[in-house]
Amino acid sequence: MPVHDMKKTIHASATDQADGLRRQHARRPVKVITVTGGKGGVGKTNICANLAVALSMLGRRVMLLDADLGLANVDVMFGLQPHYNLADVVRGERKLQDVIVNGPAGVMVVPGASGLSDMADLTPAHHAGIIHAFSELTHDLDTLLVDTAAGISDGVLRFAEAAHEVLVVVCDEPTSITDAYAIIKLLSTERGVSRFRIVTNMTRQGGDGSGLFEKLVRVTDRFLKVTLDHAGSIPFDDRVWRAVQLQTPFVTAFPTSLAAGALKKLAHRADKWEVPQNARGNIEFFVERFLNGTTIAEHEVA
Ligand SMILES: Nc1ncnc2c1ncn2[C@@H]1O[C@H](COP(=O)(O)OP(=O)(O)OP(=O)(O)O)[C@@H](O)[C@H]1O
Ligand SMILES: [Mg+2]
């Protein structure tokens, strides 16, 4: 069979399968939130992981996908020792079911595939494998949180554009602000994302992050057609760092800390974000949308 036909077949069968499962389950959409920020070390993983735990403590069924494919570290942050990770699923050697580990407060964690540095390297067969893996998932979920790598790679953009909510973490440093702006610009001008939830992190001296948020709004308002919502502000707090050393989320290790209080507020807000009525937001669809971002044609050209 010519290569392009084979690729079409793989794609078609994966899509049919996802369609079938969608009809069978017809579940409520899963709210998908991708956490990003551009710059490294701004607190994406800490916020994503603690938000997952805080939402779970509110009674939601939460899955956390570690999509930092280069330096995955949600499992380290949670003190988990997974036997398998997303790479095993991608290679078709494990079912997603076998890879998921139970994290704190019942958060279901899909450990990241350290070493799979670029999703764009995946072949159509790998893509079909991931769709298949997610479509077989029987867990009834409320929220899927996706932690992304630093930088603005195509993979990061795809995880963001496929989500219902893009949460951008920013701190008060020129490089963080320019990186946040750059990712918002790319997502809005090239990927059709127009609303962003901003979390100001490591704010100092009782500041509520509003000054930093305004700085970002001033540039986006000038050059882009986007809506930014200040979803939360997490103060600089030594206990965030201490919790990382303890490999425990700070919301449970230091529940009365300022950071935990602020994070819980963010969780309450995020919990109220509505998934659009018409959203085909189940997990299979998220994965399809993600994978369709790298059209198979791109691989054919490559
Ligand atoms: N609010 C905070 N107060 C104090 N320290 C913080 C806060 N948020 C994050 N940190 C610290 O900043 C460091 C980086 O955090 P984290 O790993 O979450 O960032 P990241 O954006 O995911 O980084 P990367 O881009 O490398 O994935 C950690 O040492 C963490 O303890
Ligand atoms: Mg990280």
Side-chain angles (χ1 to χ4, degrees):
M1 191 191 293
V3 171
H4 67 276
D5 282 354
M6 193 169 77
K7 287 173 177 171
K8 269 188 209 144
T9 309
I10 290 168
H11 188 231
S13 72
T15 307
D16 291 350
Q17 195 171 32
D19 277 349
L21 276 144
R22 196 174 304 119
R23 273 194 302 277
Q24 265 175 39
H25 294 296
R27 297 182 213 130
R28 254 168 330 121
V30 178
K31 189 188 296 176
V32 181
I33 306 173
T34 292
V35 178
T36 187
K39 188 174 169 2
V42 291
K44 298 179 290 298
T45 303
N46 268 279
I47 287 172
C48 191
N50 282 276
L51 182 56
V53 171
L55 284 168
S56 193
M57 285 159 62
L58 290 176
R60 306 293 162 251
R61 286 153 302 190
V62 183
M63 184 174 282
L64 171 50
L65 169 63
D66 186 350
D68 186 338
L69 303 170
L71 297 163
N73 53 20
V74 167
D75 46 330
V76 179
M77 209 164 272
F78 279 167
L80 303 171
Q81 280 149 355
H83 293 294
Y84 309 110
N85 63 43
L86 200 56
D88 300 295
V89 178
V90 167
R91 284 194 294 265
E93 288 166 10
R94 294 283 151 194
K95 287 185 182 306
L96 194 52
Q97 200 75 23
D98 308 327
V99 168
I100 295 167
V101 280
N102 268 329
V107 172
M108 292 167 263
V109 179
V110 182
S114 288
L116 267 187
S117 59
D118 195 344
M119 270 287 201
D121 290 342
L122 302 185
T123 65
H126 288 138
H127 288 175
I130 299 182
I131 291 178
H132 181 72
F134 273 86
S135 63
E136 280 194 329
L137 206 60
T138 53
H139 298 77
D140 199 7
L141 289 183
D142 295 306
T143 309
L144 172 67
L145 274 155
V146 184
D147 182 31
T148 61
I152 312 185
S153 65
D154 185 57
V156 168
L157 294 175
R158 246 182 290 142
F159 277 117
E161 76 177 301
H164 301 117
E165 302 286 353
V166 179
L167 202 155
V168 180
V169 180
V170 63
C171 358
D172 205 354
E173 286 171 24
T175 44
S176 171
I177 298 169
T178 49
D179 277 18
Y181 175 76
I183 204 162
I184 291 170
K185 181 181 173 188
L186 277 174
L187 283 168
S188 68
T189 57
E190 294 180 12
R191 314 280 174 131
V193 182
S194 58
R195 183 188 58 202
F196 297 84
R197 310 286 188 176
I198 308 300
V199 175
T200 46
N201 189 26
M202 305 197 218
T203 52
R204 297 272 179 179
Q205 287 158 1
D208 62 359
S210 53
L212 170 56
F213 176 69
E214 290 307 325
K215 272 188 209 168
L216 189 58
V217 168
R218 271 197 293 278
V219 269
T220 54
D221 269 2
R222 220 169 132 204
F223 301 110
L224 307 172
K225 283 195 177 65
V226 293
T227 308
L228 306 192
D229 165 50
H230 194 186
S233 192
I234 317 293
F236 184 91
D237 188 333
D238 279 342
R239 275 153 302 182
V240 173
W241 181 85
R242 272 166 52 200
V244 173
Q245 306 306 306
L246 296 169
Q247 295 188 279
T248 320
F250 61 79
V251 282
T252 51
F254 304 105
T256 57
S257 63
L258 288 177
L263 203 290
K264 284 181 213 161
K265 248 194 215 166
L266 169 65
H268 273 104
R269 287 207 184 122
D271 194 41
K272 293 201 179 73
W273 295 339
E274 299 273 347
V275 177
Q277 282 292 315
N278 56 353
R280 293 161 68 216
N282 53 23
I283 273 196
E284 297 89 334
F285 182 55
F286 164 72
V287 175
E288 266 180 81
R289 267 161 74 181
F290 168 70
L291 295 176
N292 288 342
T294 24
T295 50
I296 287 173
E298 282 171 27
H299 290 280
E300 286 171 351
V301 173

